[in-house]
Amino acid sequence: KTELTSDFRVVAATNGDLDKLAAQGRFRRDLLFRLRSVVIHLPPLRERKKDIRSIATYYLDWFCARYGMGIKGCSAEFVESLDAYTWPGNVRELIHAIEVALTKAGDDPMLFRVHLPNHIRVALARAARPRDRKNQTLHCRVNRQSVEEMMTLRVLVESVERQYLEDLIARAKGNIKEACRISGLSRSRFYARLKKYDIRRQADPMSVSS
């Protein structure tokens, strides 16, 4: 018989508590002790908020290059949404969200909150509702809870619409014709919404005729 030697290193990763599993007899203690030489604890993404933007930017550029897309930017609301979400799926969920956003954005050069996966936008909307509700002062005794829910939803919708209009005008550089084309709104309806939220556009000198 010939004795063979090998020189190798084992790198193992898990999201489970191995000490607890070993105590329960669900993981071999001898294997745990052999693996435990250098241990690196990586906190969940929700505890590493400062890493979210750099990871998102890296994979945004990576996907654009992979799919042959032009370089895309991120709106302020898109970045704020990434920071506000809790990311229960950690980095894998963030990567998937970036890929979905790029797919939904299509030829748009800018990513907006609306491009995020539906479950993320729903979670953010639900998280915002309690904060909005604290600011409501209702004196109606009949159906108070229903009225509060309706008011909260209206405030949330108006907040999202206002942010969308501001980002849209910025993207169109004040060109109302272009903003109407992107949004699908008629010029009269678009102006009505600007008036509703008291939004003043800063026109692009090249688009005054629009």
Side-chain angles (χ1 to χ4, degrees):
K1 293 183 178 181
T2 303
E3 184 176 324
L4 301 177
T5 61
S6 62
D7 183 9
F8 65 92
R9 177 178 298 174
V10 175
V11 179
T14 180
N15 60 357
D17 186 338
L18 294 185
D19 286 305
K20 184 177 181 179
L21 293 175
Q24 296 173 349
R26 297 168 57 191
F27 193 86
R28 291 179 51 177
R29 284 185 176 275
D30 59 334
L31 178 58
L32 173 60
F33 296 142
R34 289 176 182 272
L35 290 174
R36 181 176 286 164
S37 54
V38 177
V39 178
I40 301 175
H41 174 66
L42 186 63
L45 191 57
R46 64 179 177 274
E47 296 178 10
R48 296 182 285 128
K49 292 289 186 180
K50 63 181 181 179
D51 294 338
I52 292 177
R53 299 190 185 190
S54 58
I55 294 174
T57 300
Y58 173 82
Y59 280 99
L60 175 60
D61 295 341
W62 188 83
F63 280 123
C64 285
R66 179 183 180 184
Y67 297 132
M69 298 179 173
I71 299 299
K72 293 184 182 292
C74 299
S75 65
E77 64 163 13
F78 184 85
V79 176
E80 290 171 0
S81 298
L82 296 183
D83 288 339
Y85 188 56
T86 56
W87 301 109
N90 289 310
V91 176
R92 289 188 183 90
E93 185 180 15
L94 175 58
I95 296 173
H96 177 260
I98 296 299
E99 186 173 18
V100 170
L102 281 172
T103 302
K104 294 174 71 174
D107 295 331
D108 291 345
M110 186 77 68
L111 298 183
F112 293 91
R113 182 181 299 161
V114 70
H115 295 139
L116 286 169
N118 293 337
H119 74 279
I120 292 179
R121 291 189 289 114
V122 169
L124 291 173
R126 288 176 176 172
R129 288 183 62 181
R131 293 195 296 272
D132 292 337
R133 191 172 295 172
K134 291 179 182 179
N135 297 326
Q136 303 293 338
T137 304
L138 303 177
H139 302 286
C140 179
R141 296 182 180 179
V142 180
N143 266 343
R144 181 184 181 92
Q145 183 175 357
S146 297
V147 173
E148 286 183 347
E149 291 176 353
M150 289 168 52
M151 290 293 291
T152 299
L153 180 59
R154 189 191 70 181
V155 170
L156 178 60
V157 171
E158 289 181 348
S159 175
V160 172
E161 186 175 30
R162 179 186 180 88
Q163 184 63 55
Y164 170 75
L165 290 172
E166 290 177 345
D167 288 338
L168 180 61
I169 291 176
R171 176 183 167 187
K173 298 181 180 179
N175 189 316
I176 295 299
K177 183 178 180 180
E178 176 66 8
C180 290
R181 184 193 68 79
I182 296 173
S183 64
L185 295 172
S186 64
R187 185 180 292 254
S188 60
R189 292 184 65 187
F190 189 80
Y191 273 118
R193 279 168 167 75
L194 295 184
K195 183 177 180 181
K196 176 181 178 180
Y197 298 110
D198 192 25
I199 298 175
R200 299 180 180 180
R201 69 186 180 99
Q202 295 182 355
D204 186 338
M206 301 298 294
S207 61
V208 174
S209 60
S210 64

